[in-house]
């Protein structure tokens, strides 16, 4: 099979041709600056407003509550830092979880260096945050709870509604990083009690380099990027019109296809999980069995290391990712896999496969065969496996 | 990311496996950090390493450095093998990414660990050889995980 099998949709997705097509006129034809007064610029203004409305509808908010950003990471940084600045008078305590994306964790570290206190809530072995611990962690000085909607590595979906209720009950703001969940799961900010939400276009077949932050009306957080009056004065800089249009188009498609698409993804995912767990011994599924993103499968293969596995899969045209240290650029394996209680050496042997509805059962079969071959090959090379066999 | 040579040794490792009744075995590394290398040697009465095999748990670079290290010591005397440095390993692979240079140190340590075992078993002292660290893996930690 010469064709590439792309199983890394949590890293990024293909920009859909329809999305590219929708963007194209806004580069060289309708290139006006939305802030300009002449008629020509009105096209750009209209286009960005329409995209904003599509996005607002998708999460059940007002379009005036959607602020475009340069991506999910900027939205996360903004939500945390600007909340800290705006509400620092009330208190300097923030609550988050141990399995957040680095866009949250490293921003929390930044705030800690500037006098804020951060509590990192534990998760159980399936990656679900401990709600009792969360509620107990709330202090009179707590200004923000930031818990991701669904985890990017192990796919576990958090009890967002319950977290929203806890936040509301204690009058604390609730931000959620929904970068992986948006377009995959139903989200309604009012029903779930979400005050701020970050998302990114390139995870749902939109272009890279654009995201948004939803900020509930009435929340005092201020500008993070200073300059002109764009985005209601809260995020300066000439709007990225073509990317906003592409984002809007991607969201429109994602919402229209969500039910059917995720149903197919779940079928593929469950087939893959079933085959891998039953056909490869000493393998575990990381994350919750059912409360997980429709397209996420994450395994640990004992006695082998993830980077080796990735390179060998790549030789077979399979694109995947791992939580091994060697793929993270540090000596430690993924903080998420450690937080769910995996020992280092099991965390090193992890493999994440994130599907799209364009994948097929045939591709799943091919992938399972290649993983079986590769795991077998690497185990034959592994001194850990040798010791295990010897002492069995 | 990797040179052609590294990829070649990773995908077609030389001397991979075990030796039955070897003269000596050395295991180095730590599963916590993600690399473990084991080297088996068969050394004849003249002190010549006439066979060497390895097993490695680790990334592509860890496998490649083990593989090339076995090539660098095979047919050499114990004294010559001791002079195979991590730099020689890196050079023989046409370079390693900076983050992976520690793999070549591990390969050097694996050679030393095997030679240490050889010296101990035969009650001899090899000039310039120090006792290697041994810190392989934590059984208790692994047994906690459910499959």
């Amino acid at each position: 099979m010469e064709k590439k099998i792309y199983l890394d949709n949590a890293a990024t997705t293909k920009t859909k041709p329809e999305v590219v097509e929708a963007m194209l006129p806004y580069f060289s034809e309708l290139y006006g600056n939305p802030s300009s007064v002449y008629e020509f610029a009105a096209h750009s203004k209209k286009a960005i407003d329409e995209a904003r409305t599509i996005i607002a509808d998708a999460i059940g908010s007002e379009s005036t509550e959607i602020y475009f950003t340069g991506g999910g990471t900027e939205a996360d940084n903004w939500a945390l830092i600007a909340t800290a600045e705006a509400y620092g008078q009330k208190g300097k305590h923030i609550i988050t979880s141990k399995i957040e994306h680095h866009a949250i964790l490293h921003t929390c570290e930044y705030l800690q260096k500037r006098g804020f206190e951060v509590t990192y809530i534990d998760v159980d072995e399936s990656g679900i945050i401990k709600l009792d611990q969360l509620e107990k962690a709330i202090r009179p000085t707590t200004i923000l709870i930031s818990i991701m909607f669904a985890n990017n590595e192990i796919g576990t979906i958090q009890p967002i509604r319950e977290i929203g209720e806890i936040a509301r009950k204690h009058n604390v703001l609730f931000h959620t990083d929904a970068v992986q969940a948006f377009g995959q799961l139903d989200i309604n900010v009012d029903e779930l009690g979400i005050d701020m939400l970050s998302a990114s276009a390139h995870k749902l077949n939109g272009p890279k380099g654009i995201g948004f932050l939803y900020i509930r009306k009435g929340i005092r957080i201020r500008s993070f990027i200073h300059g002109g009056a764009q985005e209601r004065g809260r995020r300066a800089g000439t709007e990225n019109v073509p990317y906003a249009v592409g984002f809007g188009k991607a969201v429109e498609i994602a919402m229209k296809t969500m039910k059917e698409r995720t149903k197919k993804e779940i079928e593929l995912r469950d087939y893959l999980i079933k085959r891998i767990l039953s056909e490869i011994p000493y393998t575990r599924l990381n994350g919750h069995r059912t409360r997980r993103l429709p397209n996420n499968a994450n395994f640990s293969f004992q006695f082998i290391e993830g980077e080796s596995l990735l390179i060998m899969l790549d030789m077979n045209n399979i694109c995947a990712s791992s939580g091994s240290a060697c793929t993270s650029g540090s000596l430690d394996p993924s903080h998420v896999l450690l937080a769910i209680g995996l020992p280092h050496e099991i965390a090193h042997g992890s493999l994440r496969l994130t599907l799209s509805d364009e994948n097929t059962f045939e591709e799943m079969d091919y992938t399972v065969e290649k993983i079986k071959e590769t795991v077998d090959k690497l185990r034959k090379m592994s001194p850990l496996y040798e010791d295990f066999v010897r002492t069995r | 990311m990797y040179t052609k040579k590294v990829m070649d040794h990773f995908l077609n490792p030389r001397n991979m496996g075990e030796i039955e009744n070897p003269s000596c075995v050395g295991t180095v590394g730590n599963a916590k950090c993600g690399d473990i290398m084991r080297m088996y040697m068969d050394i004849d009465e003249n002190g010549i390493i006439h066979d060497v095999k390895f097993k490695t748990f680790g990334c592509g670079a860890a496998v490649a450095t083990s593989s090339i290290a076995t090539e660098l010591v095979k047919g050499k005397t114990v004294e010559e093998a001791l002079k195979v440095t991590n730099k020689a390993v890196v050079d023989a692979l046409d370079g390693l990414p900076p983050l992976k240079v520690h793999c070549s140190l591990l390969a050097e340590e694996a050679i030393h660990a095997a030679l240490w075992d050889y010296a101990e078993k035969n009650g001899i002292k090899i000039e310039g050889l120090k006792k290697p660290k041994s810190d392989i893996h934590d059984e208790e930690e692994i047994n906690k995980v459910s499959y």
Side-chain angles (χ1 to χ4, degrees), chain B residues 1-145:
Chain B
M1 180 169 84
Y2 289 135
T3 64
K4 266 190 187 161
K5 205 94 180 259
V6 173
M7 286 303 284
D8 179 36
H9 277 265
F10 170 56
L11 296 171
N12 311 294
R14 327 290 200 263
N15 304 311
M16 198 282 291
E18 298 164 47
I19 295 176
E20 263 186 64
N21 306 315
S23 311
C24 54
V25 190
T27 306
V28 293
N30 183 322
K32 212 171 169 177
C33 306
D35 306 293
I36 295 175
M37 286 182 198
R38 176 168 297 162
M39 207 173 275
Y40 299 84
M41 288 181 185
D42 227 349
I43 301 176
D44 66 17
E45 60 280 9
N46 301 318
I48 291 168
I49 302 165
H50 68 86
D51 199 9
V52 52
K53 298 260 191 221
F54 82 91
K55 282 205 176 178
T56 290
F57 161 87
C59 61
V63 173
T65 53
S66 326
S67 167
I68 199 101
T70 60
E71 284 199 328
L72 291 173
V73 299
K74 200 170 176 173
K76 298 254 170 75
T77 63
V78 166
E79 288 74 22
E80 285 166 339
L82 194 58
K83 287 183 194 135
V84 173
T85 61
N86 83 297
K87 192 179 174 303
V89 168
V90 175
D91 290 347
L93 289 170
D94 297 335
L96 278 177
L99 266 171
K100 304 286 187 177
V101 172
H102 73 276
C103 293
S104 65
L105 282 164
L106 211 57
E108 183 188 308
E109 270 181 47
I111 299 170
H112 291 189
L115 294 177
W116 181 266
D117 185 44
Y118 175 70
E120 278 207 319
K121 277 183 178 151
N122 293 282
I124 55 171
K125 193 174 180 327
I126 302 172
E127 203 57 47
L129 181 63
K130 288 189 197 108
K131 188 179 189 321
K133 288 171 273 176
S134 62
D135 176 17
I136 310 307
H137 57 110
D138 189 345
E139 284 290 342
E140 261 179 42
E141 251 204 334
I142 302 166
N143 293 336
K144 279 193 307 207
V145 186

Side-chain angles (χ1 to χ4, degrees), chain A residues 283-284 302-305 307-308 311 315 326 343-346 348 377 380-381 383-384 386-387 390, chain B residues 2 10-11 16 18 31-34 36 38 40 55-60 63 100 137 141-142 145 147:
Chain A
T283 299
R284 59 168 275 145
Q302 209 178 336
F303 317 115
I304 66 164
E305 193 278 331
E307 192 214 74
S308 303
I311 298 174
M315 299 308 287
C326 281
H344 279 66
E345 65 181 86
I346 309 262
H348 282 303
K377 186 174 175 188
K380 285 199 173 106
M381 284 168 63
L384 293 174
E386 182 187 309
D387 291 349
R390 211 169 267 165
Chain B
Y2 289 135
F10 170 56
L11 296 171
M16 198 282 291
E18 298 164 47
K32 212 171 169 177
C33 306
I36 295 175
R38 176 168 297 162
Y40 299 84
K55 282 205 176 178
T56 290
F57 161 87
C59 61
V63 173
K100 304 286 187 177
H137 57 110
E141 251 204 334
I142 302 166
V145 186
Y147 278 89

Side-chain angles (χ1 to χ4, degrees), chain A residues 110-213:
Chain A
Y110 168 88
L111 288 170
Q112 279 176 295
K113 283 184 196 141
R114 278 152 187 81
F116 284 82
E117 263 189 274
V118 182
T119 303
Y120 299 90
I121 302 299
D122 290 311
V123 295
D124 67 16
E125 60 174 30
S126 64
I128 293 177
I129 91 147
K130 297 188 173 167
L131 287 173
D132 52 336
Q133 198 186 1
L134 172 77
E135 188 157 16
K136 274 186 209 141
I138 297 174
R139 311 172 190 168
T141 54
T142 306
I143 53 171
L144 179 71
I145 294 171
S146 179
I147 304 286
M148 70 201 322
F149 208 110
N151 185 267
N152 50 309
E153 291 186 40
I154 56 174
T156 302
I157 300 166
Q158 297 301 336
I160 294 298
R161 186 185 300 271
E162 287 81 352
I163 299 167
E165 279 166 12
I166 291 170
R168 207 44 57 97
K169 186 174 140 195
H170 295 273
N171 197 24
V172 176
L173 293 176
F174 173 35
H175 165 257
T176 187
D177 172 345
V179 167
Q180 294 291 335
F182 185 49
Q184 291 271 355
L185 305 171
D186 274 323
I187 300 177
N188 182 296
V189 289
D190 287 340
E191 281 174 19
L192 299 173
I194 296 165
D195 295 312
M196 283 176 273
L197 177 145
S198 308
S200 172
H202 76 105
K203 307 288 189 188
L204 56 141
N205 304 108
K208 294 165 185 64
I210 188 161
F212 75 83
L213 180 64

